[in-house]
Amino acid sequence: MCDHLIRAAKYRDHVTSTQLIQKIINILTDKHGAWGSSSPSRLREFWRLDYWEDDLRRRRRFVRNSFGSTHPEATLKAAIEHGSEEDVLVKGRQSIRTQAVGNQNSESEILLEGDDDTLTSLEEKEIDNMAGPVNFTTAVQLIAPAVVAKGTLSITSSELYFEVDDEDPSYKKLDPKILTYTEGLHGKWLFSEIRAIFSRRYLLQNTALEIFIANRTAVMFNFPDQATVKKVVHCLPRVGVGTGFGLPQTRRITLASPRQLFKASNMMQRWQRREISNFEYLMFLNTVAGRTYSDMNQYPVFPWVITNYESEELDLTLPSNFRDLSKPIGALNPKRAAFFSERHESWEDDQVPAFHYGTHYSTSSFTLAWLLRIEPFTTFFLNLQGGKFDHADRTFSAVSRAWRNCQRDTSDVKELIPEFYYLPEMFVNSNNYNLGVMDDGTVVSDVELPLWAKTPEEFVRINRLALESEFVSCQLHQWIDLIFGYKQQGPEAVRGLNVFYYLTYEGAVNLNSISDPVLREAVEAQIRSFGQTPSQLLIEPHPPRSSAMQVTPLMFTDQMQQDVIMVLKFPSNSPVTHVAANTQLGLAVPAIITVTASRLFAVNKWHNVTGLHGTMQEQPYQLPVEIDPLIANNTGMHRRQITDLLDQSIQVNSQCFVITADNRFILVCGFWDKSFRVYSTDTGKLTQVIFGHWDVITCLARSESYIGGDCYILSGSRDATLLLWYWNGKNHTVGEYPNTECAAPRAILTGHDCEISCAAVCAELGLVISGSKEGPCLIHTMNGDLLKALESPENCVHPRLIQLSTEGHCVIYYEKGQFCVFSVNGKLLTKMETEDSAKAMLLSRDGQYLITGGESGIVAVWQVWDLKQLMTYPGCDAGIRSMAMSHDQRVIVTGMASGSIVLFYIDFNRWHHEYQTRY
């Protein structure tokens, strides 16, 4: 046992060091790296989808793919003309790279077997590293998207280890290319990193677990039997299924059945009350019903909702453009429905129960066909298909054709996958695969989009708009009945034309009762290829969603709300250079915190005024913000003045300050000693000084906060680097551990060659976007990997402000009135030029709206995806220096050059397309 753990530890160290070397090489040879300009002609770069998930379980981030290629060997014979020279170059480059990540490199194998000196003798160190004795060990299978690998799982009192059995014959047969995309083959996970544990099925048997990790990835294991699953859950930390679904974090919840989980959670009620979107609810249903990215045969299922892929314009107010969600895909076309119904009624086989459809709405081959154009799915697809792309006529080549086929073809009843609602990159052949030519002479490359979508981004945006529309909201519960609910099985399924082949259902077969290995293998293969129906969550009809009218009647009253709510003038005339509005009801002190150019701050109490809606007329009118009494009375000013000296060259602006989410601390940069500092907002006292940069720090930013107030702090400096720090909400310090003299940054971000002028960090996306004084803007991961430089239009040279939304839009303001919107993967989506010189901008929480303010004193609201101006507020008599938005997204607070703050009322609903088309 010890032996196997030592080998595993050595292997892990080897892989880690290989990845580190690769990271250093990437940093140096990147075109913004030290050797960037001198490295030989830059070869083509390949990208792959990262396994990182956001809060809605969307995987949208692309990272460099050192194993990428155009797969010239995979083109069907008919399509081959001539391999490009580029591929030869790329091959050469790859042969230099150590491909130890997937252990297909014989050299690394030799290293591990015999030659101990090369890896230094790790034994003693490693045995100390194993956190205590092994409490439990068992044989398991690692379930990854294209791999099932046998191995050993070991659990100590604080860590979980998996070690693949590389002697296993089935493992030796695996394609090394696939192993390069498989994580966890020699895995080690700390208990402190485990966020959620779900019971899962594998091949329809309830013997698997999926473990969600803090780095926003998941790993899935299949165990010999249910008794082992229970033992493992009792050895692992008590995290339940996470904190998202209103469920207690207990082991009982982890072991609960999907139906029990669904019943106990608060998500159905939240969906009915419209607190969560249709997308989020469908993702939740998929997750609790056992659908997972780890097993391609149980990939999440989403519905087709639009039926019109032909017209130039798509009118989302016309019912005829929407699918009838009360029927399965196979029953939408009456002619074809009759064929399926007839098949079921005339079925005469004694061995196999009657069914409507011999094929399923979700199988691994369908999922891979949808995602064919992006790695790692291309490699998985080729592995499934014997190394060749499919015939061009069978390849997913046009959205309208795919919809037509699943209306006409009797062997096609495919539903969609979640990516159709968020991943525009899946429609683009960015790796230039040669996908062949159709019989009619059409070359297959990018997916052909309907005429109403000019770009993949527009297609995804409109598809998502349709999913969230009222037509879908009011009938989505009927689709849920078919896929996850009472019409999934039994007489209701027969009546609803919704019966699939019997081996797609849970409980159809007990694999352990099949003693003949050949027969068992055959049944497993059938389950694998026929598709698997999700676990049934309800045995009664799913209730409908409440109408929008019922939930937010205020949305539809013509609110006679004044644009300007109030103006608050501070005694000092110093410009208000920073405003923060942490106004959540749960806070001890909900407040608007302001900081002036002379570094005088104020904690102005926030009153949550329901009277904003004009419904509380009988009460005396109360203003939402009350001035800080210490400032108003001019007493105790020492508790509000930051006296420490800044570097003389620093121009104080909004980005010199960060306020923590609980309003209790203020972080300030720009000091002559190259530090940034933490002060208490209550006493004004200095509580921490943080060093790390080689020159003056010019900007600070913070990520969104987690439960407990933890967040990331980003500092950018004249030394052309950024450092990422961790703010510990419990101890109120920068750095994981209290009382340590010097905090250490989590990551160092390089690639700029002059002073950092602006930056933003988003913990949910795991990304940092930063701009330097002379440009460009760079995207890094929070681990410090430089992903790419944003290619801005020619007149956009000096970035000054950056906003990043969790929806994946990045808005950058460049000097001279230039705004650009980029996607999370660095694609320029739209740009505009304005007269005003902007000093502050905000994005609404849903990422749909941009609010800007500047020298002219005018606050403007824009639609993010096309930068169309929606409204401007009455102009103020001074320039705007800073901006914030209240937690309920109803009030914009602007800090003015004249030393006052102005509160504006905003209602984003008025631009919501449902509201506009209907009321």
Side-chain angles (χ1 to χ4, degrees):
M1 183 65 212
C2 240
D3 213 36
H4 130 99
L5 287 170
I6 289 164
R7 265 191 60 221
K10 283 184 182 180
Y11 191 86
R12 259 195 311 279
D13 283 2
H14 181 70
V15 168
T16 311
S17 55
T18 309
Q19 286 170 339
L20 267 173
I21 291 168
Q22 190 57 60
K23 181 173 169 174
I24 293 166
I25 290 171
N26 284 347
I27 287 173
L28 288 170
T29 57
D30 185 273
K31 81 166 183 263
H32 296 281
W35 303 344
S37 48
S38 59
S39 58
S41 62
R42 296 191 59 73
L43 294 168
R44 169 114 183 260
E45 285 192 322
F46 290 96
W47 300 86
R48 69 170 174 85
L49 190 64
D50 197 13
Y51 294 128
W52 177 285
E53 297 181 10
D54 71 8
D55 290 353
L56 299 186
R57 304 213 50 204
R58 294 174 295 190
R59 304 193 295 180
R60 294 183 292 186
R61 193 171 92 169
F62 280 76
V63 293
R64 270 207 185 77
N65 181 11
S66 47
F67 305 105
S69 84
T70 59
H71 290 291
E73 75 295 337
T75 308
L76 281 175
K77 292 284 182 287
I80 291 177
E81 295 293 273
H82 183 61
S84 70
E85 291 168 35
E86 186 158 46
D87 283 309
V88 181
L89 283 173
V90 171
K91 277 221 167 60
R93 175 180 67 171
Q94 280 183 327
S95 62
I96 301 164
R97 298 233 159 128
T98 45
Q99 298 192 355
V101 183
N103 94 350
Q104 71 283 45
N105 181 328
S106 54
E107 207 172 321
S108 68
E109 291 289 84
I110 300 161
L111 278 181
L112 293 177
E113 289 309 319
D115 189 0
D116 267 3
D117 301 340
T118 47
L119 282 165
T120 67
S121 152
L122 276 171
E123 264 92 327
E124 298 76 35
K125 187 178 106 203
E126 254 324 310
I127 291 175
D128 294 344
N129 276 357
M130 276 290 298
V134 173
N135 294 336
F136 186 75
T137 177
T138 175
V140 294
Q141 292 168 303
L142 171 76
I143 310 296
V147 171
V148 177
K150 289 182 179 159
T152 309
L153 191 76
S154 317
I155 306 174
T156 70
S157 57
S158 63
E159 290 167 330
L160 170 72
Y161 294 85
F162 173 75
E163 183 51 30
V164 69
D165 173 9
D166 35 30
E167 294 306 307
D168 180 58
S170 62
Y171 181 78
K172 286 182 163 167
K173 276 188 222 145
L174 288 173
D175 180 351
K177 280 202 201 85
I178 282 204
L179 296 178
T180 58
Y181 294 118
T182 303
E183 300 192 342
L185 291 169
H186 304 268
K188 166 183 165 182
W189 301 273
L190 303 177
F191 279 12
S192 58
E193 298 172 337
I194 295 177
R195 292 289 175 268
I197 305 172
F198 280 87
S199 293
R200 289 284 182 245
R201 301 181 314 185
Y202 178 62
L203 297 179
L204 301 178
Q205 315 301 303
N206 292 300
T207 52
L209 287 175
E210 188 170 25
I211 300 171
F212 288 82
I213 313 295
N215 68 1
R216 292 178 174 267
T217 60
V219 59
M220 181 165 158
F221 297 107
N222 185 41
F223 298 89
D225 49 45
Q226 274 178 312
T228 312
V229 171
K230 272 195 183 125
K231 283 181 197 152
V232 168
V233 169
H234 282 283
C235 291
L236 291 175
R238 208 170 49 228
V239 291
V241 294
T243 53
F245 310 136
L247 293 164
Q249 292 191 276
T250 62
R251 296 191 173 104
R252 206 179 89 225
I253 287 291
T254 287
L255 292 165
S257 71
R259 192 175 304 166
Q260 291 165 331
L261 274 187
F262 173 76
K263 233 185 158 109
S265 87
N266 60 5
M267 295 295 273
M268 180 171 85
Q269 292 74 16
R270 289 184 62 198
W271 175 72
Q272 285 179 280
R273 294 196 299 265
R274 295 177 180 252
E275 289 169 25
I276 58 174
S277 64
N278 291 337
F279 182 93
E280 188 172 348
Y281 188 51
L282 287 172
M283 215 42 165
F284 158 75
L285 293 171
N286 273 289
T287 302
V288 291
R291 309 307 281 189
T292 165
Y293 295 129
S294 301
D295 180 0
M296 287 311 230
N297 297 301
Q298 305 188 71
Y299 209 77
V301 191
F302 267 60
W304 287 93
V305 295
I306 294 173
T307 56
N308 174 356
Y309 297 95
E310 308 300 333
S311 65
E312 295 262 348
E313 295 290 317
L314 183 69
D315 183 351
L316 288 180
T317 63
L318 280 184
S320 59
N321 285 333
F322 288 86
R323 161 190 172 183
D324 176 353
L325 286 164
S326 66
K327 295 180 177 152
I329 279 287
L332 291 176
N333 169 352
K335 248 198 190 136
R336 196 172 63 150
F339 165 83
F340 290 132
S341 179
E342 158 68 18
R343 171 196 276 172
H344 185 275
E345 273 150 38
S346 58
W347 190 258
E348 284 180 349
D349 190 322
D350 300 337
Q351 299 298 305
V352 176
F355 57 84
H356 294 118
Y357 315 108
T359 171
H360 205 256
Y361 47 77
S362 166
T363 68
S364 63
S365 53
F366 296 163
T367 301
L368 292 172
W370 290 133
L371 296 172
L372 170 73
R373 288 164 179 80
I374 52 181
E375 288 287 19
F377 303 103
T378 315
T379 299
F380 298 162
F381 178 90
L382 293 173
N383 182 60
L384 190 78
Q385 288 276 350
K388 297 287 180 204
F389 290 123
D390 205 347
H391 190 285
D393 283 86
R394 282 197 299 269
T395 299
F396 170 43
S397 56
V399 179
S400 58
R401 188 177 294 108
W403 169 250
R404 254 197 329 271
N405 286 348
C406 72
Q407 294 312 293
R408 298 177 185 171
D409 187 336
T410 51
S411 60
D412 185 348
V413 290
K414 284 199 270 302
E415 289 281 11
L416 298 182
I417 53 176
E419 283 80 356
F420 268 81
Y421 295 96
Y422 68 80
L423 194 71
E425 288 84 358
M426 68 175 277
F427 302 103
V428 184
N429 182 15
S430 57
N431 295 315
N432 289 348
Y433 301 137
N434 183 346
L435 299 172
V437 181
M438 294 201 256
D439 290 344
D440 64 5
T442 315
V443 175
V444 177
S445 183
D446 292 351
V447 175
E448 191 184 308
L449 299 170
L451 295 171
W452 44 258
K454 305 288 173 281
T455 62
E457 287 73 20
E458 190 176 18
F459 174 76
V460 164
R461 184 181 63 77
I462 293 173
N463 210 23
R464 176 73 199 266
L465 263 184
L467 180 69
E468 301 301 341
S469 70
E470 207 41 49
F471 290 117
V472 172
S473 285
C474 64
Q475 46 165 350
L476 188 60
H477 63 284
Q478 298 180 295
W479 185 81
I480 294 168
D481 288 334
L482 292 165
I483 306 295
F484 303 104
Y486 82 112
K487 291 186 175 176
Q488 192 201 73
Q489 299 176 32
E492 288 296 342
V494 176
R495 213 167 295 143
L497 222 65
N498 196 33
V499 182
F500 294 85
Y501 189 71
Y502 80 107
L503 278 182
T504 65
Y505 296 99
E506 190 176 339
V509 59
N510 176 4
L511 291 177
N512 289 336
S513 65
I514 305 174
S515 49
D516 176 358
V518 178
L519 181 61
R520 177 167 174 154
E521 179 56 43
V523 173
E524 283 186 9
Q526 265 188 312
I527 294 173
R528 245 183 234 115
S529 52
F530 271 112
Q532 295 168 35
T533 303
S535 294
Q536 193 174 21
L537 300 178
L538 298 96
I539 43 178
E540 65 283 339
H542 188 295
R545 202 174 198 194
S546 308
S547 80
M549 197 65 199
Q550 226 175 325
V551 179
T552 50
L554 286 169
M555 176 169 164
F556 308 112
T557 53
D558 191 25
Q559 296 174 5
M560 291 304 296
Q561 179 62 49
Q562 295 297 310
D563 281 337
V564 178
I565 300 167
M566 69 177 284
V567 179
L568 180 64
K569 176 81 183 77
F570 294 107
S572 122
N573 289 328
S574 180
V576 178
T577 52
H578 186 86
V579 189
N582 297 311
T583 59
Q584 302 85 306
L585 289 174
L587 288 179
V589 200
I592 302 284
I593 294 187
T594 56
V595 192
T596 68
S598 56
R599 300 192 307 293
L600 183 69
F601 65 89
V603 182
N604 308 289
K605 202 162 172 201
W606 172 263
H607 301 288
N608 198 48
V609 182
T610 39
L612 285 182
H613 309 308
T615 49
M616 307 281 286
Q617 288 310 332
E618 57 283 4
Q619 293 185 358
Y621 187 70
Q622 185 189 22
L623 290 169
V625 177
E626 183 188 325
I627 190 166
D628 184 334
L630 295 187
I631 297 288
N633 308 333
N634 206 1
T635 55
M637 296 297 261
H638 63 282
R639 289 172 54 187
R640 295 289 182 260
Q641 178 70 54
I642 292 165
T643 51
D644 300 353
L645 287 180
L646 296 191
D647 190 83
Q648 288 174 343
S649 62
I650 281 286
Q651 276 187 317
V652 176
N653 66 24
S654 188
Q655 302 184 69
C656 294
F657 308 97
V658 157
I659 312 289
T660 57
D662 57 6
N663 286 331
R664 290 176 57 186
F665 294 88
I666 174 169
L667 284 68
V668 186
C669 72
F671 295 100
W672 62 273
D673 64 359
K674 313 175 180 58
S675 69
F676 70 94
R677 305 181 182 192
V678 184
Y679 298 88
S680 155
T681 53
D682 179 34
T683 63
K685 286 197 172 119
L686 175 66
T687 61
Q688 193 182 8
V689 181
I690 299 99
F691 293 100
H693 284 284
W694 294 93
D695 204 338
V696 175
I697 298 174
T698 46
C699 67
L700 290 176
R702 84 166 167 87
S703 70
E704 64 280 36
S705 284
Y706 293 110
I707 297 169
D710 289 16
C711 66
Y712 290 93
I713 304 285
L714 185 65
S715 60
S717 158
R718 274 193 195 139
D719 66 12
T721 68
L722 299 107
L723 299 179
L724 187 69
W725 310 82
Y726 195 72
W727 171 263
N728 185 317
K730 202 163 91 200
N731 306 318
H732 308 299
T733 55
V734 170
E736 266 90 326
Y737 314 104
N739 315 327
T740 41
E741 272 306 287
C742 44
R746 279 281 182 101
I748 301 172
L749 281 50
T750 60
H752 288 289
D753 41 21
C754 58
E755 170 182 326
I756 308 298
S757 59
C758 49
V761 51
C762 178
E764 184 180 330
L765 299 175
L767 293 177
V768 171
I769 302 193
S770 55
S772 58
K773 213 168 173 180
E774 305 299 318
C777 292
L778 304 179
I779 307 185
H780 287 85
T781 67
M782 282 171 43
N783 300 332
D785 297 314
L786 174 53
L787 291 180
K788 54 175 65 170
L790 298 177
E791 306 279 340
S792 55
E794 54 188 324
N795 45 358
C796 300
V797 189
H798 308 293
R800 289 295 169 262
L801 301 168
I802 293 184
Q803 284 281 318
L804 181 56
S805 82
T806 50
E807 281 304 301
H809 285 120
C810 170
V811 183
I812 300 178
Y813 170 73
Y814 296 86
E815 248 172 32
K816 302 203 174 71
Q818 306 284 344
F819 285 88
C820 292
V821 181
F822 294 91
S823 79
V824 66
N825 290 310
K827 180 178 174 185
L828 178 64
L829 302 178
T830 182
K831 69 182 196 34
M832 72 165 173
E833 192 170 345
T834 59
E835 297 297 301
D836 196 6
S837 164
K839 291 283 183 239
M841 63 182 187
L842 295 170
L843 283 169
S844 61
R845 192 175 298 128
D846 63 4
Q848 306 296 315
Y849 304 100
L850 169 72
I851 300 152
T852 60
E855 292 294 1
S856 67
I858 292 174
V859 173
V861 183
W862 316 77
Q863 197 163 260
V864 167
W865 59 271
D866 61 353
L867 290 180
K868 174 178 140 197
Q869 191 176 74
L870 299 172
M871 78 171 282
T872 56
Y873 284 90
C876 303
D877 55 2
I880 292 167
R881 288 281 180 270
S882 51
M883 260 197 307
M885 193 159 17
S886 63
H887 181 72
D888 63 4
Q889 306 269 298
R890 286 296 178 95
V891 179
I892 298 168
V893 187
T894 59
M896 311 304 290
S898 55
S900 54
I901 56 172
V902 182
L903 274 68
F904 296 92
Y905 175 77
I906 187 152
D907 177 13
F908 292 116
N909 280 328
R910 71 174 97 170
W911 301 295
H912 190 277
H913 77 106
E914 289 289 324
Y915 175 68
Q916 286 188 312
T917 52
R918 220 158 266 210
Y919 304 100

